[in-house]
Amino acid sequence: PILSLKMVQLVNYRSSKKNIYRNKIFFNILGIQTTFLLFAITAHLIKTAGDIVGWGIQFQNPYFIFFMITLTLFFSLNLFGFFQYFIPSKILTILSYKKEGFLGDFLTGMFLTFLATPCTAPFVGTAIGFALSGSVFEIYTILLIMGIGLSTPLILILIFPRIISVLPKPGHWLIVFKKIMGLLLLLTAIWL
């Protein structure tokens, strides 16, 4: 969902100067990669502290499982339209493209990472678990490659700016897509 919001912003901004458009995308990518580098540094520091660190041990705690069930059920019901929640206006200001300052674009990339990473938890968890069981090189490599993965849509738009014109406008397909994602989250809650 976060990447789709970003794409809508890029569609709205594409009529501006080409170099500003590319710089905004570049600084978003740089923000994403910086955040994953910070994740790698944090994982490295935790691992070197001497504790055995792994991923998945939290699923042995019934409180954590209850929290995850509640969270996935919450997101599922939201996607089915039972209620709506709104992003605070200060966050929307950070995500907007009203200024040409690239610091905002860098911070948007970081913010995008923090919002999107929990949505990819099943995939990210496996990769982080593998990274933490490996060497320091593996920690940094895996997390930076994950950053490239999250940045891939933006990288493609940076290299091929005409891709943005191929993206369909929001419509009925997006409503169907939201229901499918809601069903998958509901099934995840039942599985948990």
Side-chain angles (χ1 to χ4, degrees):
I2 302 303
L3 285 176
S4 63
L5 289 174
K6 191 71 192 160
M7 295 303 166
V8 169
Q9 286 180 342
L10 292 173
V11 167
N12 292 332
Y13 195 77
R14 68 180 168 197
S15 61
S16 297
K17 294 179 182 176
K18 195 175 195 177
N19 63 337
I20 292 173
Y21 180 73
R22 287 180 181 261
N23 284 340
K24 288 188 169 295
I25 295 171
F26 173 77
F27 278 96
N28 270 264
I29 294 168
L30 189 61
I32 292 169
Q33 285 300 113
T34 300
T35 306
F36 273 97
L37 178 62
L38 293 173
F39 288 162
I41 291 169
T42 303
H44 177 210
L45 291 174
I46 290 170
K47 184 170 177 130
T48 56
D51 294 334
I52 298 174
V53 179
W55 184 264
I57 205 162
Q58 69 273 23
F59 284 100
Q60 295 176 8
N61 184 326
Y63 298 112
F64 179 80
I65 293 174
F66 178 75
F67 171 75
M68 291 304 295
I69 290 169
T70 305
L71 187 66
T72 54
L73 189 60
F74 174 80
F75 283 126
S76 176
L77 293 175
N78 175 260
L79 289 172
F80 282 125
F82 284 96
F83 62 90
Q84 297 293 322
Y85 59 91
F86 299 97
I87 297 175
S89 61
K90 287 185 179 185
I91 294 173
L92 288 174
T93 302
I94 291 172
L95 293 175
S96 71
Y97 275 116
K98 294 180 182 175
K99 297 181 181 178
E100 289 188 19
F102 299 122
L103 177 62
D105 299 310
F106 178 81
L107 294 174
T108 299
M110 293 184 85
F111 186 70
L112 186 138
T113 305
F114 285 116
L115 286 178
T117 303
C119 297
T120 58
F123 307 109
V124 173
T126 304
I128 290 174
F130 179 75
L132 288 173
S133 67
S135 67
V136 172
F137 176 77
E138 288 170 331
I139 290 173
Y140 284 92
T141 303
I142 289 171
L143 286 166
L144 290 175
I145 288 173
M146 287 169 54
I148 291 170
L150 182 61
S151 302
T152 298
L154 296 173
I155 293 169
L156 289 174
I157 291 171
L158 185 64
I159 296 170
F160 307 107
R162 293 189 185 262
I163 288 177
I164 205 82
S165 62
V166 176
L167 294 175
K169 294 181 180 179
H172 183 68
W173 72 271
L174 192 55
I175 295 169
V176 172
F177 181 72
K178 281 175 59 176
K179 303 272 187 215
I180 292 170
M181 300 312 307
L183 179 64
L184 292 174
L185 281 173
L186 184 62
L187 291 173
T188 302
I190 292 169
W191 175 78
L192 284 170

